[in-house]
């Protein structure tokens, strides 16, 4: 069984979700948001780093999956998002987690079957796949979606290897 920490990075709120990939399918362990509590950007980056590191120490995931930065209309927003993502990755690396990255289109394709799906469709599929009836914050459902996408990719890779297909 592999435990995956999924992250949806943001400079104000970084969503996280932890899923165990077990014999009976994916099982939800924890989810939430790392909320930054300051307007000073460098301090927000430290809070993201510390939050991811603390979660990794508490739940002991085996792997970290994170969403890649997509192009934004505002260059300043894209830079801040990239820096928040870097802080989150470093928090995972400090806890010795291997890091896997997925584009938003890959996550949507893996969960909904359509790379142009909207956030509510992703949220619906996350709740369905995890058999979760309560509402989820969008940041947390996006992070759980990244973790589920990683689990699907791992399972496909494993099936290919068992079939004797060489995967690089």
């Amino acid at each position: 069984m592999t435990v995956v920490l999924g992250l949806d990075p943001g400079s104000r709120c970084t969503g996280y979700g932890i899923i165990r990939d077990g014999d009976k399918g994916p099982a939800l362990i924890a989810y939430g948001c790392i909320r930054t509590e300051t307007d000073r950007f460098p301090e927000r980056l430290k809070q993201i780093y510390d939050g991811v590191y603390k979660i990794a120490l508490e739940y002991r995931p085996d792997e970290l999956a994170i969403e890649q930065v997509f192009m934004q209309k505002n260059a300043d927003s894209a830079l801040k998002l990239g820096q928040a993502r870097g802080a989150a990755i470093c928090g995972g690396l400090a806890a010795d987690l291997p890091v896997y990255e997925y584009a938003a289109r890959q996550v949507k394709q893996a969960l909904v079957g359509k790379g142009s799906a909207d956030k509510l469709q992703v949220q619906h599929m996350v709740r369905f796949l995890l058999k979760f009836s309560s509402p989820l914050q969008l940041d947390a459902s996006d992070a759980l979606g990244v973790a589920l996408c990683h689990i699907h990719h791992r399972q496909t890779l494993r099936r290919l290897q068992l079939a004797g297909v060489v995967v690089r």
Side-chain angles (χ1 to χ4, degrees):
M1 288 192 297
T2 301
V3 176
V4 177
L5 167 58
L7 294 176
D8 177 39
S11 65
R12 295 270 180 201
C13 178
T14 293
Y16 71 89
I18 304 166
I19 298 174
R20 178 182 300 112
D21 181 20
D23 295 335
K24 296 181 181 178
L28 178 64
I29 295 174
Y31 67 92
C33 291
I34 300 165
R35 296 200 182 279
T36 56
E37 300 171 358
T38 180
D39 287 331
R40 297 203 47 200
F41 191 70
E43 292 174 11
R44 281 192 263 159
L45 295 177
K46 182 167 182 349
Q47 290 175 354
I48 293 166
Y49 171 93
D50 290 343
V52 171
Y53 183 70
K54 180 182 172 190
I55 290 165
L57 291 182
E58 181 178 349
Y59 292 100
R60 299 284 183 202
D62 301 301
E63 299 171 344
L64 184 148
I66 189 165
E67 190 170 278
Q68 292 175 340
V69 175
F70 59 91
M71 194 55 162
Q72 304 230 345
K73 292 178 185 175
N74 181 328
D76 188 52
S77 295
L79 286 170
K80 286 182 178 177
L81 179 58
Q83 291 173 354
R85 186 175 173 278
I89 288 171
C90 288
L93 289 172
D96 294 322
L97 295 177
V99 177
Y100 300 88
E101 303 171 277
Y102 296 94
R105 270 187 99 65
Q106 284 179 286
V107 174
K108 293 172 182 180
Q109 182 72 38
L111 296 177
V112 180
K114 186 170 80 171
S116 61
D118 66 34
K119 285 183 171 281
L120 292 176
Q121 289 173 304
V122 171
Q123 183 184 57
H124 175 77
M125 286 306 296
V126 165
R127 291 176 60 208
F128 176 78
L129 291 169
L130 294 174
K131 301 169 184 68
F132 193 75
S133 58
S134 299
L136 282 170
Q137 285 184 283
L138 284 176
D139 295 307
S141 69
D142 284 352
L144 289 164
V146 174
L148 285 166
C149 174
H150 179 63
I151 287 169
H152 290 165
H153 279 267
R154 287 180 85 257
Q155 290 170 347
T156 300
L157 182 62
R158 188 176 26 217
R159 286 184 190 114
L160 288 170
Q161 290 170 337
L162 288 172
V165 176
V166 177
V167 181
R168 296 175 196 222

